[in-house]
């Protein structure tokens, strides 16, 4: 069922003033219609413009003067709401999701990897940050290429998109063929709520 909403002046004096000024009041119409429905435009004796998809709701005296203006078209989709100020927004460009981080003030680029138990940082990135990995503990890691020996090192803090976490025990191991400084694993990601927005082609990390 369709219903036309009308905006009437609140008093005869106000109505007379609007008529004298030849003001046209555009009235919103509540439409709940199937795709392909026709949209009719008609004007009453007071100059108020109405829109409706149900021609039968137009008063008989105005029905012949109603104009069929075609099927209503939906407006553009609403833009996604902006993320909260504290959120980390990661654009998705078709490759891996890369997070900007910092270790001892040194910028790092880490791939978001929900399949990794621990955060991994390359030896070169640790050296740039001035962290001695010689005091670390040897550990065995397992990846898609098999088992390998790496070093487990505790760093005082790791800054992820402006959120400082720490101390964090990171795995130090090289990433052959990668143009990033490491992987951001679940040990750090557990401090965030991770939302992947496929429509907006982005991921959002919100500190818990």
């Amino acid at each position: 069922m369709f219903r036309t909403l009308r905006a009437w002046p609140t008093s005869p004096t106000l109505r007379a003033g609007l008529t004298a000024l030849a003001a046209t009041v555009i009235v919103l119409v509540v439409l709940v219609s199937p795709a392909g429905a026709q949209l009719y435009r008609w004007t009453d004796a007071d100059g108020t413009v109405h829109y409706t998809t149900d021609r039968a709701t137009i008063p008989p005296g105005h029905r012949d003067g109603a104009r069929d203006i075609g099927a209503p078209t939906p407006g553009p989709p609403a833009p996604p709401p902006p993320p909260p100020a504290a959120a980390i927004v990661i654009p998705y460009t078709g490759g891996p999701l890369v997070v900007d981080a910092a270790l001892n003030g040194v910028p790092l680029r880490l791939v978001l990897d929900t399949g990794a138990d621990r955060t991994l940082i390359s030896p070169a990135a640790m050296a740039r940050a001035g962290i001695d990995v010689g005091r670390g503990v040897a550990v065995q890691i397992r990846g898609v290429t098999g088992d390998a020996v790496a070093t487990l090192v505790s760093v005082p803090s790791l800054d992820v998109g402006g959120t400082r976490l720490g101390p964090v025990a990171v795995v130090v191991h090289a990433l052959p063929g990668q143009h990033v400084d490491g992987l951001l694993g679940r040990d750090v990601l557990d401090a965030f709520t991770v939302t992947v927005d496929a429509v907006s082609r982005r991921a959002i990390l919100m500190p818990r």
Side-chain angles (χ1 to χ4, degrees):
M1 182 176 181
F2 308 102
R3 183 160 57 97
T4 302
L5 302 182
R6 303 181 62 186
W8 291 102
T10 58
S11 69
T13 302
L14 181 56
R15 290 183 58 188
L18 291 176
T19 302
L21 292 174
T24 301
V25 181
I26 305 298
V27 186
L28 297 179
V29 183
V30 178
L31 300 175
V32 183
S33 60
Q38 297 302 108
L39 186 63
Y40 298 92
R41 180 182 186 272
W42 63 279
T43 306
D44 63 19
D46 296 320
T48 302
V49 178
H50 302 261
Y51 295 90
T52 181
T53 56
D54 188 355
R55 194 171 185 273
T57 63
I58 304 174
H62 299 281
R63 198 169 298 167
D64 291 342
R67 180 183 175 188
D68 182 354
I69 60 175
T73 56
I88 303 166
V89 180
I90 310 167
Y92 174 66
T93 58
L97 295 171
V98 179
V99 184
D100 290 326
L103 184 59
N104 276 357
V106 176
L108 303 179
R109 298 179 73 247
L110 305 177
V111 173
L112 191 153
D113 188 352
T114 58
D117 293 329
R118 286 190 175 275
T119 295
L120 184 149
I121 299 178
S122 70
M126 295 289 280
R128 291 203 315 270
I131 296 179
D132 182 9
V133 300
R135 298 181 180 181
V137 178
V139 293
Q140 188 173 30
I141 60 174
R142 175 169 295 177
V144 294
T145 58
D147 295 346
V149 176
T151 304
L152 188 66
V153 178
S154 178
V155 298
S157 67
L158 180 65
D159 187 297
V160 180
T163 299
R164 182 167 295 182
L165 306 168
V168 180
V170 301
V171 174
V172 182
H173 191 264
L175 292 173
Q178 298 290 334
H179 299 289
V180 292
D181 298 305
L183 307 174
L184 196 64
R186 289 198 303 268
D187 56 340
V188 171
L189 291 176
D190 283 346
F192 299 89
T193 297
V194 182
T195 303
V196 178
D197 187 344
V199 175
S200 301
R201 299 181 65 82
R202 65 185 184 182
I204 300 173
L205 274 61
M206 185 65 189
R208 294 182 186 273

